Amino acid sequence: MTWTQASGNINNDNIKFFYSLKPFNCFPKNLEKFFKNLDKIYFGSSNFTILKSDLQPFGSQLKQFYFYSSKLEVITADLFDHTTNLELLYLTSNKITHVQQGAFSKLTKLRSLYFDGNPCHSGKTVSNRTDVLNLIAQIESQCTD
């Protein structure tokens, strides 16, 4: 069974895309064309191991990105280059073994980071900017070359 949900009010504010149950093997293409003002993306139980520039089309409108209980192994350096207004990043229970240097450097508004349940760093959940910066430093020291 596949279940997707898109919700928002009439003026397209606060739109989210939620996908779970039937695993995707890659990030869905052209999602931004169906959901013009998408600011939250939720993915659970996906089969792909790497995200590259998949978030680029959502640009600075994306505020929250959830990618959990999946097979994600690598965070590329450019993944968050265009999502500079991201406030919450949820990467819990993946298979992350490598984070490329500088992957989080453009996330200056990030206030909540969930990284627990990954092999390269046992992580924790943090919900303030100072703790986010400390956790990023730990992840970069343990998960990059």
Side-chain angles (χ1 to χ4, degrees), residues 79-136:
L79 178 60
F80 304 114
D81 279 359
H82 301 279
T83 57
T84 54
N85 288 324
L86 203 62
E87 298 170 357
L88 184 145
L89 181 57
Y90 192 95
L91 297 171
T92 296
S93 300
N94 280 287
K95 310 254 184 253
I96 299 172
T97 56
H98 187 74
V99 177
Q100 291 181 349
Q101 189 66 39
F104 302 110
S105 64
K106 295 192 178 168
L107 299 179
T108 59
K109 296 184 179 178
L110 193 64
R111 298 288 181 262
S112 295
L113 177 58
Y114 300 77
F115 203 83
D116 48 312
N118 287 291
C120 73
H121 188 279
S122 60
K124 59 182 176 178
T125 299
V126 294
S127 294
N128 68 62
R129 185 64 183 162
T130 301
D131 290 343
V132 165
L133 292 173
N134 289 334
L135 181 54
I136 287 172

